[in-house]
Amino acid sequence: MIITKRTTSDDTNFQELVKLLDIELQERDGDEHSFYAALNKTNTLNYVIVAYDQDKPIGCGALRTYSKDTMEVKRMFVPLQKRGQGIASKILKALEIWCQELGIKKCVLETGKNQPEAIALYKKNHYNTIPNFGKYEGVENSVCFEKEL
């Protein structure tokens, strides 16, 4: 049975999953990876979800404050061998519930065009494509989404 745990970026399981995420993104993004890596620092995330299957970490996601009533979804990852089992949707839903408990009205996020699985995940979970925001404005490879909670 898959369970989710609330934690912070200090969590060692989260840190290990993020290392795997960064390896995958380096391969997919190539030369653009350094730009994205600078925007994905994880040392001060207070809202992190780690998913477990029988005490084994199998996925993660996090939130970063974007504005007074909006959180940005960050560092969503499920290892390749665990994909297609609904784990990412479960993590995303846990993040959304946490947002609602905090009084947050909206989630925004950015993913890359080289991550079609992520794009499909967000569309499946009722996120709408929006113009690129913040540091992603004008970035050709970025796709941004939002969801009203």
Side-chain angles (χ1 to χ4, degrees):
M1 180 173 156
I2 297 167
I3 62 160
T4 58
K5 174 186 157 194
R6 291 180 179 184
T7 187
T8 68
S9 54
D10 293 334
D11 187 290
T12 56
N13 290 320
F14 174 70
Q15 292 170 9
E16 290 302 315
L17 288 162
V18 167
K19 285 179 190 173
L20 296 174
L21 169 61
D22 286 337
I23 290 168
E24 182 174 322
L25 292 176
Q26 173 75 48
E27 292 171 4
R28 289 184 186 226
D29 294 334
D31 293 341
E32 294 180 330
H33 181 70
S34 59
F35 167 77
Y36 291 109
L39 300 176
N40 288 317
K41 302 289 184 204
T42 59
N43 54 338
T44 58
L45 297 173
N46 295 318
Y47 308 102
V48 170
I49 296 287
V50 177
Y52 293 86
D53 184 4
Q54 299 180 2
D55 296 327
K56 181 175 172 33
I58 56 167
C60 63
L63 298 166
R64 177 178 288 146
T65 302
Y66 184 74
S67 69
K68 180 180 150 197
D69 65 350
T70 303
M71 287 283 201
E72 183 179 3
V73 176
K74 303 294 290 180
R75 313 313 279 159
M76 287 289 298
F77 180 69
V78 173
L80 185 60
Q81 68 272 21
K82 290 292 188 178
R83 292 181 190 161
Q85 300 175 36
I87 298 164
S89 289
K90 189 167 188 163
I91 293 167
L92 193 56
K93 184 63 178 169
L95 290 170
E96 292 169 1
I97 289 168
W98 204 350
C99 282
Q100 290 171 319
E101 291 172 6
L102 294 168
I104 300 299
K105 306 290 185 213
K106 179 170 49 174
C107 286
V108 295
L109 63 92
E110 180 275 343
T111 192
K113 291 180 180 176
N114 294 330
Q115 288 118 40
E117 308 93 332
I119 293 169
L121 167 73
Y122 299 126
K123 287 181 177 180
K124 178 176 83 171
N125 284 279
H126 311 291
Y127 281 73
N128 298 309
T129 307
I130 59 171
N132 289 2
F133 60 86
K135 294 182 179 174
Y136 304 108
E137 285 182 34
V139 178
E140 183 68 28
N141 188 42
S142 289
V143 181
C144 292
F145 291 91
E146 74 176 9
K147 181 178 182 179
E148 300 285 337
L149 300 176

